Short mmCIF file of all heavy atoms in Angstrom, two decimals:
data_model
loop_
_atom_site.label_atom_id
_atom_site.label_comp_id
_atom_site.label_asym_id
_atom_site.label_seq_id
_atom_site.Cartn_x
_atom_site.Cartn_y
_atom_site.Cartn_z
N GLU Q 173 -4.94 -13.77 -4.63
CA GLU Q 173 -4.50 -14.54 -3.49
C GLU Q 173 -3.15 -14.00 -2.94
O GLU Q 173 -2.98 -13.79 -1.78
CB GLU Q 173 -4.30 -15.99 -3.89
CG GLU Q 173 -4.12 -16.93 -2.80
CD GLU Q 173 -4.05 -18.37 -3.24
OE1 GLU Q 173 -5.01 -18.88 -3.78
OE2 GLU Q 173 -2.99 -18.92 -3.01
N LYS Q 174 -2.29 -13.67 -3.97
CA LYS Q 174 -1.01 -13.15 -3.51
C LYS Q 174 -1.21 -11.77 -2.94
O LYS Q 174 -0.52 -11.45 -1.88
CB LYS Q 174 -0.21 -13.04 -4.87
CG LYS Q 174 1.17 -12.34 -4.68
CD LYS Q 174 1.86 -12.38 -6.03
CE LYS Q 174 3.11 -11.54 -5.94
NZ LYS Q 174 3.85 -11.50 -7.18
N ARG Q 175 -1.98 -10.88 -3.54
CA ARG Q 175 -2.12 -9.55 -2.99
C ARG Q 175 -2.74 -9.61 -1.63
O ARG Q 175 -2.33 -8.83 -0.69
CB ARG Q 175 -3.02 -8.69 -3.96
CG ARG Q 175 -2.45 -8.35 -5.26
CD ARG Q 175 -3.32 -7.74 -6.18
NE ARG Q 175 -3.67 -6.37 -5.82
CZ ARG Q 175 -2.99 -5.29 -6.26
NH1 ARG Q 175 -1.91 -5.44 -6.97
NH2 ARG Q 175 -3.35 -4.10 -5.84
N ARG Q 176 -3.71 -10.47 -1.31
CA ARG Q 176 -4.26 -10.57 0.00
C ARG Q 176 -3.24 -11.05 1.02
O ARG Q 176 -3.19 -10.57 2.17
CB ARG Q 176 -5.48 -11.53 0.00
CG ARG Q 176 -6.68 -10.99 -0.68
CD ARG Q 176 -7.40 -9.93 0.17
NE ARG Q 176 -8.55 -9.50 -0.45
CZ ARG Q 176 -8.99 -8.33 -0.59
NH1 ARG Q 176 -8.22 -7.28 -0.16
NH2 ARG Q 176 -10.16 -7.96 -1.17
N TYR Q 177 -2.37 -11.92 0.60
CA TYR Q 177 -1.33 -12.36 1.47
C TYR Q 177 -0.37 -11.25 1.90
O TYR Q 177 -0.17 -10.99 3.09
CB TYR Q 177 -0.49 -13.51 0.82
CG TYR Q 177 0.79 -13.82 1.57
CD1 TYR Q 177 0.75 -14.58 2.69
CD2 TYR Q 177 2.03 -13.32 1.06
CE1 TYR Q 177 1.96 -14.86 3.34
CE2 TYR Q 177 3.21 -13.56 1.81
CZ TYR Q 177 3.16 -14.37 2.91
OH TYR Q 177 4.34 -14.61 3.59
N TYR Q 178 0.09 -10.46 0.89
CA TYR Q 178 0.91 -9.34 1.25
C TYR Q 178 0.16 -8.19 1.95
O TYR Q 178 0.78 -7.55 2.85
CB TYR Q 178 1.60 -8.84 -0.08
CG TYR Q 178 2.75 -9.62 -0.53
CD1 TYR Q 178 2.62 -10.54 -1.61
CD2 TYR Q 178 3.99 -9.58 0.12
CE1 TYR Q 178 3.75 -11.34 -1.96
CE2 TYR Q 178 5.06 -10.34 -0.32
CZ TYR Q 178 4.93 -11.22 -1.29
OH TYR Q 178 5.98 -11.99 -1.73
N GLU Q 179 -1.01 -8.00 1.65
CA GLU Q 179 -1.80 -6.97 2.33
C GLU Q 179 -1.86 -7.42 3.81
O GLU Q 179 -1.73 -6.52 4.79
CB GLU Q 179 -3.19 -6.93 1.71
CG GLU Q 179 -4.18 -5.98 2.37
CD GLU Q 179 -5.67 -6.34 1.96
OE1 GLU Q 179 -5.84 -6.81 0.82
OE2 GLU Q 179 -6.51 -6.11 2.80
N GLY Q 180 -2.01 -8.66 4.06
CA GLY Q 180 -2.10 -9.25 5.49
C GLY Q 180 -0.77 -8.93 6.16
O GLY Q 180 -0.80 -8.61 7.37
N LEU Q 181 0.36 -9.03 5.52
CA LEU Q 181 1.59 -8.67 6.18
C LEU Q 181 1.56 -7.21 6.71
O LEU Q 181 2.00 -6.90 7.77
CB LEU Q 181 2.82 -8.89 5.21
CG LEU Q 181 3.07 -10.25 4.67
CD1 LEU Q 181 4.31 -10.24 3.75
CD2 LEU Q 181 3.31 -11.25 5.83
N LEU Q 182 1.16 -6.31 5.78
CA LEU Q 182 1.09 -4.88 6.18
C LEU Q 182 0.18 -4.65 7.30
O LEU Q 182 0.38 -3.90 8.25
CB LEU Q 182 0.74 -4.03 4.93
CG LEU Q 182 1.69 -4.15 3.75
CD1 LEU Q 182 1.21 -3.21 2.64
CD2 LEU Q 182 3.11 -3.79 4.14
N ARG Q 183 -1.04 -5.29 7.20
CA ARG Q 183 -2.04 -5.22 8.23
C ARG Q 183 -1.47 -5.64 9.56
O ARG Q 183 -1.66 -4.94 10.57
CB ARG Q 183 -3.24 -6.09 7.83
CG ARG Q 183 -4.56 -5.67 8.24
CD ARG Q 183 -5.57 -6.62 7.66
NE ARG Q 183 -5.89 -6.31 6.32
CZ ARG Q 183 -6.72 -5.37 5.92
NH1 ARG Q 183 -7.33 -4.65 6.88
NH2 ARG Q 183 -6.94 -5.07 4.71
N ASN Q 184 -0.73 -6.76 9.56
CA ASN Q 184 -0.17 -7.24 10.86
C ASN Q 184 0.83 -6.25 11.41
O ASN Q 184 0.84 -5.97 12.63
CB ASN Q 184 0.61 -8.57 10.58
CG ASN Q 184 -0.36 -9.69 10.60
OD1 ASN Q 184 -1.48 -9.54 11.05
ND2 ASN Q 184 0.13 -10.84 10.08
N VAL Q 185 1.69 -5.66 10.52
CA VAL Q 185 2.64 -4.72 11.09
C VAL Q 185 1.91 -3.49 11.68
O VAL Q 185 2.20 -3.07 12.83
CB VAL Q 185 3.59 -4.18 9.92
CG1 VAL Q 185 4.46 -3.10 10.43
CG2 VAL Q 185 4.43 -5.37 9.38
N ALA Q 186 0.91 -3.01 10.97
CA ALA Q 186 0.17 -1.78 11.52
C ALA Q 186 -0.44 -2.16 12.87
O ALA Q 186 -0.38 -1.30 13.81
CB ALA Q 186 -0.97 -1.40 10.47
N LYS Q 187 -0.91 -3.33 13.03
CA LYS Q 187 -1.54 -3.72 14.28
C LYS Q 187 -0.44 -3.81 15.42
O LYS Q 187 -0.69 -3.47 16.51
CB LYS Q 187 -2.31 -5.02 14.18
CG LYS Q 187 -3.63 -4.81 13.42
CD LYS Q 187 -4.41 -6.10 13.39
CE LYS Q 187 -5.75 -5.87 12.67
NZ LYS Q 187 -6.44 -7.10 12.49
N THR Q 188 0.77 -4.36 15.01
CA THR Q 188 1.77 -4.44 16.01
C THR Q 188 2.22 -3.07 16.51
O THR Q 188 2.80 -2.92 17.56
CB THR Q 188 3.01 -5.31 15.60
OG1 THR Q 188 3.58 -4.65 14.41
CG2 THR Q 188 2.65 -6.67 15.21
N TYR Q 189 1.96 -2.06 15.69
CA TYR Q 189 2.30 -0.69 16.10
C TYR Q 189 1.14 -0.02 16.77
O TYR Q 189 1.24 1.24 16.98
CB TYR Q 189 2.78 0.10 14.87
CG TYR Q 189 4.28 -0.04 14.57
CD1 TYR Q 189 4.76 -1.23 14.05
CD2 TYR Q 189 5.17 1.00 14.97
CE1 TYR Q 189 6.11 -1.36 13.79
CE2 TYR Q 189 6.55 0.75 14.64
CZ TYR Q 189 7.00 -0.35 14.12
OH TYR Q 189 8.31 -0.49 13.84
N GLY Q 190 0.05 -0.76 17.00
CA GLY Q 190 -1.05 -0.13 17.71
C GLY Q 190 -1.99 0.75 16.83
O GLY Q 190 -2.71 1.62 17.35
N PHE Q 191 -1.97 0.57 15.51
CA PHE Q 191 -2.86 1.30 14.62
C PHE Q 191 -4.13 0.46 14.39
O PHE Q 191 -4.08 -0.81 14.38
CB PHE Q 191 -2.15 1.58 13.27
CG PHE Q 191 -1.17 2.68 13.36
CD1 PHE Q 191 0.07 2.56 14.03
CD2 PHE Q 191 -1.45 3.96 12.80
CE1 PHE Q 191 0.96 3.58 14.14
CE2 PHE Q 191 -0.50 5.01 12.88
CZ PHE Q 191 0.69 4.83 13.51
N ARG Q 192 -5.22 1.15 14.15
CA ARG Q 192 -6.54 0.44 13.93
C ARG Q 192 -7.05 0.89 12.57
O ARG Q 192 -6.94 2.11 12.16
CB ARG Q 192 -7.48 0.76 15.05
CG ARG Q 192 -6.92 0.21 16.38
CD ARG Q 192 -7.92 0.45 17.52
NE ARG Q 192 -9.11 -0.43 17.32
CZ ARG Q 192 -10.26 -0.08 17.84
NH1 ARG Q 192 -10.43 1.05 18.44
NH2 ARG Q 192 -11.37 -0.90 17.62
N GLU Q 193 -7.73 -0.03 11.95
CA GLU Q 193 -8.18 0.17 10.53
C GLU Q 193 -9.42 1.08 10.49
O GLU Q 193 -10.35 1.03 11.26
CB GLU Q 193 -8.49 -1.09 9.85
CG GLU Q 193 -8.79 -0.97 8.36
CD GLU Q 193 -8.70 -2.28 7.59
OE1 GLU Q 193 -8.49 -3.31 8.21
OE2 GLU Q 193 -8.76 -2.13 6.38
N ILE Q 194 -9.42 1.93 9.43
CA ILE Q 194 -10.63 2.80 9.12
C ILE Q 194 -10.93 2.56 7.63
O ILE Q 194 -10.05 2.02 6.87
CB ILE Q 194 -10.38 4.26 9.31
CG1 ILE Q 194 -9.18 4.78 8.55
CG2 ILE Q 194 -10.15 4.55 10.84
CD1 ILE Q 194 -9.18 6.22 8.21
#
Side-chain angles (χ1 to χ4, degrees):
E173 192 176 297
K174 175 177 169 181
R175 290 174 73 89
R176 288 286 186 227
Y177 167 76
Y178 279 104
E179 181 196 328
L181 296 181
L182 298 183
R183 212 176 277 282
N184 277 345
V185 174
K187 287 185 178 173
T188 60
Y189 274 74
F191 283 71
R192 298 183 68 207
E193 186 162 7
I194 58 156

